[in-house]
Amino acid sequence: METPFKPFPKAAAVQPDRRFLFSRLSHLIALGFGSGLSRLAPGTVGTLWAWVAFLLIDRLGTPGDPGWALIIGITLLAGWWASVATVSRTGVADPGYIVIDEVVAFWLVLWLAAPVGFWGQFWAFWLFRYFDAAKPGPVAWADRAFKGWGWRGGWGIMFDDLVAAGCTLLVIAFWRWL
């Protein structure tokens, strides 16, 4: 079945820059407010940005469980939309510079692993980065499950990071159980 969301015809894929970032709200969201523009490890930079943003949001008013659930849910939906819109303009199906998936997934990890101090968050960060970058087992399956363009491809961008977050949380739960 043909999807109506195909990339715009381009001679070559677009490499986002600052001008691209600020040209549309969807680009700003998808590229993690600029953290995805990093030439070196944009996923790691996006996850670090997520960590800092989580701490700032939490300190500004401690949203609590219902607040974090709402923030993460809205960001997940906005990220899905922004990913679809951004890949259609860049001509790249699952680019590394889209980092809103890392932001949502790592916020989920930090929220569900709480309360933890700095070292707990530090190890959660590295566990999440391992699952997201190495893509072992279920994360590799999730990465292959929703390929393509349009809403399906946009969901695929988000989904594998959610599975990486789930794997991270399972390891943390197992560690606490020991």
Side-chain angles (χ1 to χ4, degrees):
M1 183 168 161
E2 194 82 17
T3 177
F5 296 101
K6 293 250 185 222
F8 297 131
K10 298 189 179 305
V14 172
Q15 181 59 44
D17 56 13
R18 208 178 301 175
R19 184 171 174 230
F20 179 86
L21 175 71
F22 291 110
S23 67
R24 296 181 182 266
L25 178 61
S26 58
H27 302 169
L28 193 64
I29 293 169
L31 276 62
F33 292 85
S35 59
L37 292 177
S38 172
R39 298 285 184 215
L40 183 65
T44 301
V45 174
T47 307
L48 285 169
W49 184 89
W51 190 1
V52 170
F54 181 90
L55 294 174
L56 287 173
I57 293 167
D58 207 44
R59 293 207 198 296
L60 286 176
T62 311
D65 286 343
W68 272 114
L70 186 63
I71 290 168
I72 291 168
I74 289 170
T75 307
L76 175 65
L77 293 174
W80 185 7
W81 162 77
S83 296
V84 170
T86 302
V87 299
S88 73
R89 290 187 187 93
T90 61
V92 180
D94 189 358
Y97 46 76
I98 291 183
V99 297
I100 190 63
D101 49 340
E102 278 90 356
V103 172
V104 170
F106 194 58
W107 281 357
L108 187 65
V109 168
L110 291 173
W111 172 47
L112 294 177
V116 292
F118 172 79
W119 289 110
Q121 292 176 2
F122 175 83
W123 289 113
F125 171 84
W126 285 111
L127 268 173
F128 174 72
R129 289 308 309 144
Y130 165 74
F131 283 113
D132 185 36
K135 299 195 185 315
V139 184
W141 167 82
D143 189 49
R144 292 186 308 267
F146 297 95
K147 288 292 185 186
W149 302 100
W151 293 104
R152 178 182 175 86
W155 177 247
I157 291 171
M158 304 301 289
F159 184 61
D160 70 310
D161 288 82
L162 294 173
V163 173
C167 292
T168 302
L169 289 165
L170 282 173
V171 171
I172 291 169
F174 180 71
W175 181 261
R176 287 180 176 172
W177 178 72
L178 291 176

